[in-house]
Amino acid sequence: MRRLFLSCLCLLLALPAWAGGNQDLGQLEKLAGLFLKRELGLREASWKLGRLDRRLVVPACDKPKAEWANPSETTGATAVSLSCPELGWALRLPVMVDEKRLGVALSRAVAPGEQLNAADIRMVEISNPALASNVLTDASQAVGQVMRSGAPAGAWLRGFMVRAPYLVRVNQQVKVLAQGDGFSAEAEGMAMSNAARGEQVNVRLANGRVVRGTVQEDGSVAVVF
């Protein structure tokens, strides 16, 4: 890959002057700056843009394009791709993006089984991402969730520490909504386990038959035949 990059670089350096003029590299850098301002303007981020090698020579482009070189890498050491689709050239401009990351932390000690509300959490800057693996990054991921285990005040709230609240509990009577090709029916049954909305649960019907369905928002169980 490095050999291919060097070969492409050599070709760019060796390009003759284009009849329509050469591309102003400074304009490309300004384009990259505008792109970053648009992309990062709503994020708490700062960036330091690199410079294009002034030895590079490419034909002037009427409509140059700026985009992330790798859309999955938009923070830290990354790059902006500057290209001209109609003329077939592309340049890579390095950029260092320093983004402020916030994580969800507990504002008080909580016990197993407690359901969290907005007062139980706070957003805290993650100064060391290496120590914040799996930390929730949005309050909406925590509010309304139930703690699987207890944790002290100030602890990071990680995904595995919470679960959705159960809408169906073991041995609870539930409504079963059965649907199939050309028919629908309702029945009552007993849940055989705990389950949250969207989870699968087995239900024993009055006739002893066990069916498996998906818990709905109202606590009913939808079974598709």
Side-chain angles (χ1 to χ4, degrees):
M1 181 63 72
R2 184 177 180 182
R3 185 177 300 172
L4 177 61
F5 173 78
L6 291 175
S7 298
C8 293
L9 179 61
C10 290
L11 286 173
L12 287 171
L13 293 175
L15 283 173
W18 182 252
N22 295 327
Q23 178 65 50
D24 184 333
L25 299 183
Q27 289 183 347
L28 290 181
E29 291 169 348
K30 290 180 181 179
L31 176 63
L34 292 173
F35 168 76
L36 291 171
K37 185 176 182 180
R38 183 177 71 248
E39 287 287 303
L40 303 174
L42 298 179
R43 290 157 55 178
E44 295 191 52
S46 59
W47 62 89
K48 184 175 182 180
L49 196 58
R51 284 175 53 85
L52 293 169
D53 188 333
R54 289 306 190 264
R55 295 172 297 174
L56 293 173
V57 177
V58 293
C61 183
D62 291 334
K63 296 180 179 180
K65 180 180 178 182
E67 58 190 347
W68 292 111
N70 185 342
S72 66
E73 297 179 1
T74 63
T75 190
T78 183
V80 174
S81 174
L82 298 162
S83 64
C84 184
E86 59 266 34
L87 296 179
W89 55 257
L91 303 175
R92 184 181 176 93
L93 182 59
V95 58
M96 175 60 72
V97 179
D98 183 13
E99 184 168 14
K100 188 178 190 179
R101 286 188 58 197
L102 299 178
V104 179
L106 293 169
S107 57
R108 66 174 181 86
V110 294
E114 283 197 66
Q115 188 167 14
L116 299 173
N117 58 49
D120 297 328
I121 62 170
R122 56 195 175 95
M123 302 303 295
V124 179
E125 182 178 357
I126 301 175
S127 57
N128 187 350
L131 299 179
S133 176
N134 299 321
V135 169
L136 301 181
T137 56
D138 194 301
S140 65
Q141 298 173 312
V143 174
Q145 299 295 292
V146 176
M147 294 295 297
R148 294 183 185 273
S149 60
W156 291 117
L157 193 61
R158 293 174 162 83
F160 62 83
M161 298 169 64
V162 296
R163 62 167 175 81
Y166 292 142
L167 294 182
V168 170
R169 293 187 175 275
V170 62
N171 295 329
Q172 176 186 335
Q173 287 292 123
V174 295
K175 179 186 293 185
V176 177
L177 307 175
Q179 291 185 332
D181 188 12
F183 80 92
S184 63
E186 292 187 10
E188 294 289 330
M190 182 178 293
M192 300 178 67
S193 62
N194 299 325
R197 183 180 67 175
E199 293 182 341
Q200 296 281 302
V201 64
N202 288 337
V203 178
R204 187 182 301 279
L205 302 178
N207 61 8
R209 182 182 179 186
V210 175
V211 296
R212 186 170 180 80
T214 304
V215 178
Q216 306 300 296
E217 188 171 3
D218 62 358
S220 63
V221 177
V223 178
V224 179
F225 292 96

